[in-house]
Amino acid sequence: MHDLELTEEQRMVRDMARDFARSEVAPNARAWEQAGWLDNATVAQLGELGLLGMIVPEQWGGTYTDYVAYALAVEEISAADGALGALMSIHSSVGCGPLLKYGTAQQQNRWLPDLATGRIIGCFALTEPQAGSEAHNLRTRAVLKNGEWQIDGAKQFVSNGKRAKLAIVFAVTDPELGKKGLSAFLVPTDNPGFIVDRMESKMGLRASDTCGVTLRDCRIPQANLLGPRGKGLAIALSNLEGGRIGIAAQALGIARAAFEAALGYARERVQFDKPIIEHQSVANMLADMHTRLNAARLLILHAARLRSAELPCLSEASQAKLFASEVAEYVCSRAVQIHGGYGYLEDYPVERYYRDARITQIYEGTSEIQRLLIARELGHYDL
């Protein structure tokens, strides 16, 4: 995408994120993966730069510009380390987003300034062992007793689950009401009833703390109900647009890094007396990779512009997430292929990019769910 399509502010945000990513993140990504943990000081720096408050207005300490700048920044951070890009995207979209839309003034004033500046990280506890895409099929229960909510249940795949200081937890408050019986709660993770069972050992994004969580006699004040009672499903679904734009940008960043690595390798690696980029089979692969990356970026920025204008963009965000995540696997796979046997070794970063990219077709809505939503939207058109 040409810079002429960006505002000066958007370019400044992108360039700042890129400089930080290249100098502070990329050189350390492999070590963080091996440690299974993102460096605390780097996460704090991310907050100090304003990159963890990009969807939060200035009145709460945020740095909101628009979703285009946000998508560009997520892409740059993810190109350096997909795990840090995941933290940034998840913290912003489903950590800050529900509070912005549904929080009371008291809740917003209490939590948003710390979230926006990265002094604390947020997480989103919706998925359960038996309930993934079927978000309304939850077994976690919240019962109001003596002015307190008591929450009991189990959550799975909680990104930022160990690092986070605030969790948005979804639980059934009125089982007889079905989908209308689900509510959302603000749960400080230092609550003795919020128990991180384990950090999952994953194929990729290994430095991102994905956790299983148990809520056992977890008691919170009545005032910690987020939004109206029974509106939990609406709250869970309300941040899909921003969340999917973020994950699409993460996928794009990972894919772009793989493409750049493959391009550099193809220019240097000599076979049959010439750089392999001069072999048509390799050149054609690189051309296809480059084209798909640019197409993915255009879809993402189109959805981001609609979101910035507060226009409906559920289908556009789903298209961006679907396409970018599948492009990421396509590009990363071919980057490994271009490296040959070396692409299978940890000495080269493309094997990490390949592993990191795979999750983007699964979380924040699987590719199958994206296609379902896109097809459903087609029902509104007179074809």
Side-chain angles (χ1 to χ4, degrees), residues 161-362:
K162 185 172 182 179
R163 181 185 300 273
K165 300 300 182 186
L166 178 68
I168 298 177
V169 176
F170 294 83
V172 176
T173 49
D174 301 280
E176 69 282 1
L177 297 181
K179 294 181 180 181
K180 296 182 179 179
L182 182 66
S183 300
F185 301 89
L186 299 171
V187 180
T189 62
D190 61 2
N191 188 303
F194 186 95
I195 304 160
V196 176
D197 295 321
R198 63 196 174 279
M199 284 178 56
E200 303 290 2
S201 179
K202 309 188 297 295
M203 175 192 291
L205 301 185
R206 292 176 179 171
S208 171
D209 50 316
T210 304
C211 302
V213 171
T214 295
L215 297 126
R216 184 179 301 132
D217 192 20
C218 183
R219 298 172 184 267
I220 57 172
Q222 189 171 351
N224 282 32
L225 175 70
L226 178 63
R229 179 171 177 163
K231 292 294 184 182
L233 187 60
I235 294 170
L237 298 177
S238 68
N239 291 284
L240 294 181
E241 295 170 346
R244 286 169 182 168
I245 290 168
I247 299 304
Q250 179 204 16
L252 177 63
I254 295 169
R256 196 193 83 203
F259 169 75
E260 290 172 351
L263 179 62
Y265 183 84
R267 286 169 171 165
E268 295 174 2
R269 175 68 167 170
V270 175
Q271 292 280 276
F272 303 105
D273 300 321
K274 61 183 178 181
I276 62 173
I277 196 171
E278 295 181 20
H279 294 282
Q280 189 173 19
S281 59
V282 173
N284 286 346
M285 272 197 284
L286 289 165
D288 286 343
M289 293 157 72
H290 185 53
T291 300
R292 295 187 191 205
L293 286 171
N294 283 333
R297 184 175 293 107
L298 290 172
L299 276 173
I300 293 166
L301 296 184
H302 174 58
R305 289 188 174 102
L306 291 174
R307 177 75 169 172
S308 298
E310 299 183 357
L311 295 171
C313 62
L314 181 59
S315 178
E316 289 82 0
S318 291
Q319 290 171 52
K321 197 268 189 185
L322 170 65
F323 189 75
S325 64
E326 296 193 347
V327 163
E329 185 172 4
Y330 175 93
V331 169
C332 291
S333 176
R334 279 148 185 80
V336 171
Q337 192 72 21
I338 288 169
H339 280 72
Y342 292 111
Y344 206 65
L345 303 180
E346 288 189 357
D347 296 344
Y348 289 80
V350 289
E351 66 85 28
R352 172 166 57 89
Y353 301 146
Y354 184 61
R355 290 185 288 102
D356 286 352
R358 188 60 184 86
I359 188 60
T360 63
Q361 294 182 54
I362 298 173

Side-chain angles (χ1 to χ4, degrees), residues 140-162:
T140 299
R141 295 290 186 262
V143 179
L144 190 58
K145 293 181 178 180
N146 302 319
E148 288 185 318
W149 289 101
Q150 178 183 321
I151 308 176
D152 291 277
K155 297 295 180 179
Q156 182 65 292
F157 303 130
V158 181
S159 297
N160 302 342
K162 185 172 182 179

Side-chain angles (χ1 to χ4, degrees), residues 88-119:
M88 177 182 174
S89 176
I90 291 160
H91 167 83
S92 298
S93 63
V94 293
C96 300
L99 257 172
L100 277 168
K101 187 166 185 178
Y102 290 97
T104 64
Q106 182 180 15
Q107 290 170 343
Q108 291 171 337
N109 291 333
R110 165 68 182 86
W111 294 106
L112 281 176
D114 285 341
L115 288 166
T117 53
R119 290 192 291 269

Side-chain angles (χ1 to χ4, degrees), residues 20 63 79 106 142 287 327 378:
F20 174 71
T63 54
Q106 182 180 15
V327 163
L378 293 176

Side-chain angles (χ1 to χ4, degrees), residues 24 38 159 194 382:
E24 303 298 327
L38 292 165
S159 297
F194 186 95
D382 185 15

